[in-house]
Amino acid sequence: MPNSATPTHCPYCALQCGMNLTPAPDGTVEVSERADFPVNRGALCGKGRTAPAVLSSRVRLTSPLVRSGGTLVPATWDEALDRIAGELSRTRTEHGPDACGVFGGGGLTNEKAYTLGKFARVVLGTSQIDYNGRFCMSSAAAGGMKAFGLDRGLPFPLEDIPKSGCVILVGSNLAETMPPSLRFFTELRENGGTLIVVDPRRTRTAEQADLHLMPRPGTDLALALGLLHLVVAEGRTDEAYIAGRTVGWEDARAAAMAHWPEYVERITGVPVPQLRETVRLFCEPESAMVLTARGPEQQSKGTDTVSAWINLCLATGRAGRPYSGYGCLTGQGNGQGGREHGQKADQLPGYRKLDDPAARAHVAEVWGVDPDSLPGPGRSAYELLDALGTDIRSLLLMGSNPVVSAPRAAHIEERIKSLDFLAVCDVVLSETAALADVVLPVTQWAEETGTTTNLEGRVLLRRQAITPPDGIRSDLEVMHELADRLGVEKGFPTDPEEVFEELRRASAGGPADYSGITYRRLAEENGVFWPCPTDDTVAAHPGTARLFLDRFAHPDGRARFVPVSHRAIAEEPDEEYPVLLTTGRVVAQYQSGAQTRRVDELNAAAPGPFVELHPRLAERLGAAEGDPVAVVSRRGRAVAPARITLGIRPDTVFMPFHWYGEGRANTLTNPALDPTSRMPEFKACAVRLETVER
């Protein structure tokens, strides 16, 4: 590649910050500011600045590995691919196509996610495909679909946030999870707007808030309902908006009125005066927003919780109006695009439903197959992982590390070990890859071109900046080679732009319509918002930066209130397990840590797990700062040093989930699933604490 700066995007979170990459004479890659990209305006967090460290052959995979005599040993590409194809073929023959599973990731580009879904359904003929994005924003997606008829993380650009009068930020510590975005909230306050943060911890984000509400984990649903009750009781509803743009208000209002302020205070621990002040701050300005993240969403009632917050927006006329509305802060780099194009168990490209005959016919025509040959919807992510070794005998996994990231992780690790065959494509030897029968080393973000879709619904072009090392192939090449070996010689191109052109046709007319987007436009326009249909009779569609200003996506153009009521978390504390555990991230690590834990600078800042607990809880336990503490749930035991702080509720402990080993937080978490989104309840489970002798 030429020794010049290439404009591209960070490989980590859903901001997809712009950056420039320049190969250095010593073989490293330098990151520099790219001020023209509006999301980060040149700013980068530590993860973005150090992202090229994972490109080093010192930490990455450089050769295929095949298990021999219990050990992974280097192999040729032909040996590795032949082994995978042979095992998948054997599994299909002996147990049927649904015995083959496919598990993807929210970091895969749109081209890879699209091809992976096509590979599962056309080559393997299996319904058993899902991805780790199910653990990210599936509850927000389900809530958005119910209310608006369309799911896009943010229905407006981030640049609208500073122009709003008030933002309620629910369960997001974006100062650590996506630091460059904090500037939009700083500008909000500088412009006279108000920031309200809902979080059981006094996080770096909460420290920026005008008002911080600290509810008991798992009670966000009751909190939203209590706020709506006050909106009604104080006469703050927008009756004209409700009549003109919504349906279902009467039932939703009746459900909310059962949640009077004192009752909500008993459930949540949030004092009634704070509830009233929240309503005042939210309702008095002309515009206001509610933004949710994993806190309210990663619950067994996450969809209902999202619906309750959306109801608050609808009742006050805060959706589909300038600088107002409900939005979700997507977590993974391509968590939005990853589920739009067929990587999810129930979806086809363009956000089409797999059980819709018209959708099946459209996509089947693009793929050149019989619609009846496409399998139906399969298992959700946790249910798929839980079925490994029984119903599912072989698994192809790309871009995910469920041994660390899945709930009830020790159980999932055992399920993975019970497989007849596991193949993993990754850039590093993750904890999951270390269990595989075949591991394929694949190209990374800086070594390939492809598109992602950020949290705003802005489709972006990641450009190749460097040549990958010898012996490394792309995921697209892997799927092409496997398809060929499994008898499908056409339909799996290796050129990402060719794949994107097919994706455009497959998405045309769907809810997530990319048909008017091209690589040329993405390069020239710094990204294009979907939906962006194509129409040859007029000028190119500009893309849709702001949704719902004229109508919502339901056929009648109206939003839907969804009546919901508070219910307890799946596992309340009791005498044996008297404390609540909640989990999350820290600024220097990302997701399962498979990549960031290989960066020296990031490890120096966040070297390992910890248990955050209140001084009163620490005193009862007899633990001092830094002492090892065991956290025990009904699913297992984790041990990590105590971190004592006044910034957490006395009835709650917090653990970050980036690490494997004895400090693995997801050993403890509860896989109880939301009935709609199938999201596990990562954010609240009952635990007890024990001191540990060392």
Side-chain angles (χ1 to χ4, degrees):
M1 300 294 294
N3 189 25
S4 59
T6 300
T8 189
H9 296 274
C10 178
Y12 290 119
C13 82
L15 289 179
Q16 289 294 280
C17 291
M19 58 171 60
N20 290 314
L21 296 181
T22 305
D26 62 359
T28 61
V29 178
E30 297 176 354
V31 175
S32 59
E33 179 179 306
R34 182 183 163 194
D36 68 310
F37 188 59
V39 171
N40 63 311
R41 307 175 201 163
L44 292 170
C45 72
K47 295 185 290 291
R49 286 188 296 98
T50 61
V54 188
L55 299 168
S56 168
S57 58
R58 181 177 65 87
V59 300
R60 66 163 322 149
L61 293 166
T62 57
S63 168
L65 303 174
V66 172
R67 191 166 297 279
S68 176
T71 304
L72 287 171
V73 298
T76 68
W77 271 94
D78 281 338
E79 289 171 340
L81 291 166
D82 287 346
R83 174 86 176 271
I84 297 172
E87 292 291 343
L88 292 175
S89 179
R90 180 190 60 77
T91 298
R92 282 192 307 170
T93 300
E94 294 181 3
H95 303 286
D98 273 358
C100 295
V102 177
F103 199 84
L108 300 181
T109 63
N110 289 317
E111 292 79 0
K112 294 178 185 179
Y114 170 84
T115 303
L116 189 61
K118 182 180 179 182
F119 179 87
R121 295 176 175 110
V122 172
V123 178
L124 298 179
T126 183
S127 66
Q128 300 304 302
I129 175 173
D130 211 85
Y131 82 128
N132 62 17
R134 176 79 69 170
F135 301 155
C136 178
M137 57 177 292
S138 58
S139 293
M145 290 297 292
K146 287 184 176 185
F148 308 130
L150 184 68
D151 156 48
R152 196 180 81 185
L154 293 180
F156 40 71
L158 284 163
E159 66 190 38
D160 283 5
I161 290 172
K163 301 170 186 174
S164 187
C166 177
V167 174
I168 302 179
L169 186 62
V170 189
S172 171
N173 184 15
L174 52 80
E176 297 199 54
T177 59
M178 43 182 66
S181 69
L182 189 62
R183 66 173 56 193
F184 294 103
F185 298 87
T186 302
E187 291 171 13
L188 165 78
R189 299 182 68 205
E190 291 171 349
N191 292 341
T194 302
L195 175 62
I196 301 170
V197 170
V198 179
D199 199 303
R201 302 169 61 225
R202 183 74 176 173
T203 64
R204 295 185 188 181
T205 306
E207 289 171 354
Q208 308 301 314
D210 297 282
L211 179 61
H212 175 205
L213 311 182
M214 296 181 71
R216 184 174 179 265
T219 63
D220 309 89
L221 174 54
L223 177 63
L225 288 164
L227 296 175
L228 183 52
H229 176 110
L230 286 171
V231 165
V232 175
E234 296 177 5
R236 296 181 184 272
T237 56
D238 188 332
E239 295 297 329
Y241 175 94
I242 291 170
R245 298 203 62 185
T246 73
V247 297
W249 170 230
E250 294 300 324
D251 289 342
R253 179 176 61 187
M257 296 313 289
H259 299 76
W260 60 95
E262 292 76 13
Y263 172 57
V264 169
E265 179 180 327
R266 289 201 302 271
I267 294 170
T268 65
V270 177
V272 171
Q274 288 191 357
L275 298 176
R276 295 189 184 279
E277 179 67 357
T278 299
V279 168
R280 184 187 70 80
L281 293 172
F282 185 70
C283 292
E284 285 187 353
E286 242 182 78
S287 57
M289 299 174 176
V290 172
L291 304 178
T292 67
R294 306 302 78 73
E297 297 163 16
Q298 287 182 327
Q299 298 182 28
S300 60
K301 53 187 173 183
T303 302
D304 283 358
T305 303
V306 167
S307 293
W309 288 105
I310 292 175
N311 288 348
L312 179 67
C313 292
L314 294 176
T316 53
R318 307 300 205 188
R321 285 180 168 172
Y323 315 126
S324 292
Y326 166 79
C328 165
L329 298 172
T330 309
Q332 295 191 78
N334 197 31
Q336 181 71 50
R339 71 180 181 283
E340 292 169 2
H341 299 299
Q343 193 179 193
K344 196 159 167 271
D346 57 350
Q347 286 176 354
L348 287 170
Y351 225 142
R352 289 181 159 91
K353 300 297 290 182
L354 188 54
D355 55 5
D356 177 1
R360 293 169 66 88
H362 174 87
V363 173
E365 183 177 4
V366 173
W367 288 352
V369 300
D370 184 340
D372 292 338
S373 71
L374 298 177
R379 292 175 172 90
S380 71
Y382 180 79
E383 291 164 306
L384 189 157
L385 294 171
D386 191 39
L388 299 181
T390 54
D391 293 341
I392 299 172
R393 310 299 292 268
S394 292
L395 181 69
L396 174 63
L397 185 145
M398 288 187 173
S400 187
N401 188 18
V403 163
V404 176
S405 63
R408 197 184 173 197
H411 169 72
I412 295 304
E413 182 173 358
E414 290 305 310
R415 300 309 328 137
I416 289 173
K417 290 177 179 177
S418 73
L419 283 163
D420 295 346
F421 178 76
L422 172 64
V424 173
C425 299
D426 211 330
V427 299
V428 297
L429 191 66
S430 70
E431 287 78 10
T432 305
L435 302 177
D437 298 286
V438 178
V439 183
L440 299 180
V442 291
T443 50
Q444 299 187 52
W445 57 290
E447 301 164 347
E448 60 187 12
T449 294
T451 62
T452 61
T453 306
N454 81 343
L455 78 171
E456 308 165 294
R458 189 193 305 252
V459 186
L460 305 167
L461 183 63
R462 277 193 198 160
R463 299 169 176 87
Q464 181 180 356
I466 60 172
T467 302
D470 291 340
I472 306 296
R473 299 188 185 181
S474 73
D475 294 287
L476 294 179
E477 291 175 300
V478 168
M479 287 183 278
H480 171 87
E481 291 290 339
L482 290 176
D484 184 60
R485 284 166 167 79
L486 290 166
V488 181
E489 298 177 1
K490 296 181 179 180
F492 290 87
T494 60
D495 176 61
E497 187 168 7
E498 186 177 347
V499 175
F500 190 80
E501 288 299 305
E502 183 179 306
L503 182 157
R504 292 176 60 205
R505 298 194 303 275
S507 73
D513 191 336
Y514 282 32
S515 60
I517 304 175
T518 63
Y519 270 32
R520 179 188 58 78
R521 285 193 63 183
L522 295 177
E524 293 175 354
E525 300 174 33
N526 232 344
V528 177
F529 291 88
W530 71 260
C532 182
T534 186
D535 187 344
D536 295 334
T537 64
V538 297
H541 191 287
T544 311
R546 295 170 180 85
L547 297 170
F548 313 137
L549 294 179
D550 300 316
R551 66 191 314 275
F552 294 99
H554 288 296
D556 61 3
R558 291 172 175 260
R560 273 44 174 170
F561 281 97
V562 178
V564 293
S565 296
H566 168 71
R567 63 181 186 273
I569 59 175
E571 186 179 76
E572 289 282 359
D574 55 23
E575 289 187 5
E576 188 177 2
Y577 300 95
V579 178
L580 279 169
L581 167 72
T582 192
T583 64
R585 287 168 48 190
V586 297
V587 66
Q589 300 289 352
Y590 180 73
Q591 304 300 70
S592 76
Q595 296 180 52
T596 51
R597 284 187 279 114
R598 287 166 168 79
V599 179
D600 293 340
E601 180 179 330
L602 300 179
N603 282 332
F610 57 87
V611 181
E612 187 177 277
L613 65 164
H614 191 274
R616 293 210 301 266
L617 186 55
E619 184 179 4
R620 290 203 303 270
L621 183 65
E625 180 76 16
D627 285 352
V629 171
V631 184
V632 184
S633 78
R634 290 178 172 86
R635 288 152 296 280
R637 173 187 175 96
V639 178
R643 184 174 294 182
I644 302 172
T645 173
L646 289 167
I648 192 169
R649 291 175 55 97
D651 59 1
T652 300
V653 296
F654 166 83
M655 290 187 72
F657 59 78
H658 308 291
W659 287 274
Y660 184 63
E662 71 170 4
R664 179 173 59 184
N666 277 319
T667 296
L668 309 168
T669 48
N670 191 351
L673 301 181
D674 180 289
T676 301
S677 68
R678 316 308 289 169
M679 167 72 83
E681 192 150 66
F682 287 98
K683 289 303 181 188
C685 71
V687 299
R688 68 171 181 265
L689 305 183
E690 300 172 351
T691 55
V692 177
E693 296 294 333
R694 288 290 172 92

